[in-house]
Amino acid sequence: MSYAPITIAARRVLLDALEALEEHREGLVLVGAQAIYLYTGDADVAIATTTKDSDIALIPIRLTPEPTLDAAMTASGFSHDRSVQQPGEWSSGKGLDPPVELLVPEGLHAGGGRRGARIPPHTKHAARVVPGLEAAAMSHRQMRIASLEPDRDSRAITMRVASPAGLLVAKATRSASARRPRRTVYSTKMLMISTACCARYRPAKSWPPCGLYWVTTSSVR
């Protein structure tokens, strides 16, 4: 399969971030489009070839106090500009490579901030609070994350990846406010078709986002 340069860069940045956060690996769970692709494979061409998401959910109780998230990311060449970036958004500093985002499930956040996560000793800019990722933090499995440019980069890292059920809950939560609902619904549909946990369901014949949203929420009750 031929991957878009942005997708290759996103995987490279993800591997860079995982190396930077090695001491915190037990508290990391891959979510978002890159996690979905690990289940759907080449069947989901739209996600496989064009994704630029590098989303990592954090389980606060499993993070180590040292090094802090900020120190680990900065030491590996990542940066965060508070004036233009949301909390948890880290740039690699390599040209136009997409950022990686560190996200704390809202239900695992002790409170004190609506956007920046308060998970001391890490700063409030290190990660962002996001609803809908609680299931991913509870339901995940170890999977191998490999480079998409093996001729130049031989890295492969094993980490926790959200289960199909956890990803469906996250997508269902997001679909209500998504700015690109057709893309969100499409990736949800492909995940349901490609995973055994939803084998009893059939893909909708039409394309109403509300209809697929109902199927998604019903499948994980």
Side-chain angles (χ1 to χ4, degrees):
M1 174 176 289
S2 177
Y3 298 95
I6 191 67
T7 300
I8 295 173
R11 179 61 61 87
R12 183 172 60 247
V13 170
L14 173 61
L15 292 172
D16 290 343
L18 294 178
E19 288 183 335
L21 298 173
E22 182 177 5
E23 297 298 322
H24 298 281
R25 191 78 54 80
E26 290 298 309
L28 310 181
V29 181
L30 183 65
V31 294
Q34 293 211 45
I36 291 176
Y37 171 58
L38 292 175
Y39 292 106
T40 62
D42 294 349
D44 196 343
V45 177
I47 289 180
T49 60
T50 62
T51 182
K52 61 180 180 179
D53 296 336
S54 294
D55 298 338
I56 301 175
L58 307 180
I59 304 176
I61 197 172
R62 292 183 180 174
L63 299 177
T64 61
E66 294 292 339
T68 63
L69 295 173
D70 313 72
M73 294 295 279
T74 302
S76 294
F78 286 87
S79 62
H80 174 78
D81 187 343
R82 301 178 187 178
S83 64
V84 296
Q85 291 179 300
Q86 299 186 80
E89 184 177 341
W90 292 88
S91 299
S92 69
K94 299 177 181 178
L96 298 178
D97 282 0
V100 62
E101 298 198 56
L102 305 182
L103 311 170
V104 174
E106 187 176 52
L108 301 184
H109 185 236
R114 292 185 299 173
R115 298 288 287 172
R118 270 54 171 183
I119 48 172
H122 317 286
T123 74
K124 64 181 180 180
H125 304 286
R128 184 166 75 256
V129 180
V130 175
L133 295 179
E134 294 78 8
M138 297 294 294
S139 178
H140 43 71
R141 63 191 66 175
Q142 295 281 350
M143 296 183 75
R144 182 174 178 269
I145 316 296
S147 166
L148 296 179
E149 44 185 351
D151 294 340
R152 300 176 52 189
D153 185 354
S154 61
R155 290 180 297 172
I157 294 176
T158 299
M159 71 171 297
R160 289 177 171 82
V161 177
S163 70
L167 292 169
L168 286 169
V169 171
K171 284 294 183 181
T173 303
R174 181 183 177 188
S175 64
S177 59
R179 286 177 288 182
R180 301 173 65 184
R182 286 181 70 89
R183 183 175 177 85
T184 299
V185 169
Y186 176 78
S187 58
T188 301
K189 175 182 174 182
M190 291 305 300
L191 179 62
M192 293 173 66
I193 293 172
S194 302
T195 54
C197 73
C198 300
R200 55 185 267 191
Y201 293 96
R202 297 290 182 268
K205 294 181 180 179
S206 59
W207 194 268
C210 57
L212 284 175
Y213 178 81
W214 181 87
V215 174
T216 302
T217 53
S218 298
S219 67
V220 293
R221 282 175 184 166

